[in-house]
Amino acid sequence: MPAARGGSGGSPLAGPRVALITGGASGIGLATAERLRRDGLSVALADIDAAGLWGNKGAAIYSASKGGVTVLSKALAVELAARGVRVNVVYPGDVDSPMIRYQAETFGGGDPEAYLRDLLAAYPQKPARFIRPDEVAELIAFLCSERATPITGAAISIDFGLTAGY
C-alpha cells in the first residue's frame, strides 16, 4: 500500500497522497476507500490475501504471485524511501463479507455453516469471529497517517493471530 507523504494542514493525512488498498474484492477496499477519501486521499484498489505469506495447497501459482507482491512491495519501500514514499502490505484474514459467504456456499460441501465454523476454529484468538472491513480500513488509514511515518517495507497481518504460527 504505497502512501506518499505530502504537505501540511489540519488533517493528519494532509497533502497529496495515493494509497493502494488491499482486499478490493472482500469489502475492505470499499470501506478503506471511503475512510481515506474523508481525509482527502486518492485511492487505488487491488486485491491480495495471506497466500502471499504461505503456500496454499492446489494454488502454487496463485501463492507465488501473491508472494511476489510482498517482495515487490519491500523492494519498492527501499527504492522509494528517499522520496518520502512508504510502502506496506496488509494481509487480512477472513473478512465478514459476501466473498466469505460465497466461499462457504461454493466450497462448504453442502454445509456452509460448518465451513465457516471450521475457518473460525483455526483462529488462535478467542472468541473467534471474522474481521470487519472497517477494522482493516482503520489499519490502512493509520499506515497512511503521519503517525506511521517510520513504518515502511512491512507486511502486516490483521487476522487474530492466524498467520502467527506460519
Side-chain angles (χ1 to χ4, degrees), residues 56-71:
N56 285 346
K57 181 179 178 181
I61 294 171
Y62 177 80
S63 297
S65 69
K66 298 297 184 176
V69 171
T70 301
V71 176

Side-chain angles (χ1 to χ4, degrees), residues 85-147:
V85 176
R86 293 174 279 141
V87 182
N88 297 297
V89 178
V90 173
Y91 287 105
D94 298 309
V95 175
D96 187 9
S97 67
M99 188 171 100
I100 197 74
R101 287 183 285 288
Y102 170 80
Q103 277 181 242
E105 290 290 332
T106 304
F107 304 111
D111 191 353
E113 292 305 314
Y115 179 90
L116 296 173
R117 280 192 306 274
D118 288 347
L119 287 177
L120 290 173
Y123 281 74
Q125 189 173 332
K126 305 295 181 197
R129 67 171 175 82
F130 295 117
I131 301 155
R132 296 187 322 264
D134 66 290
E135 292 172 316
V136 181
E138 285 299 319
L139 172 61
I140 293 169
F142 169 74
L143 289 171
C144 290
S145 76
E146 292 300 318
R147 296 173 312 210

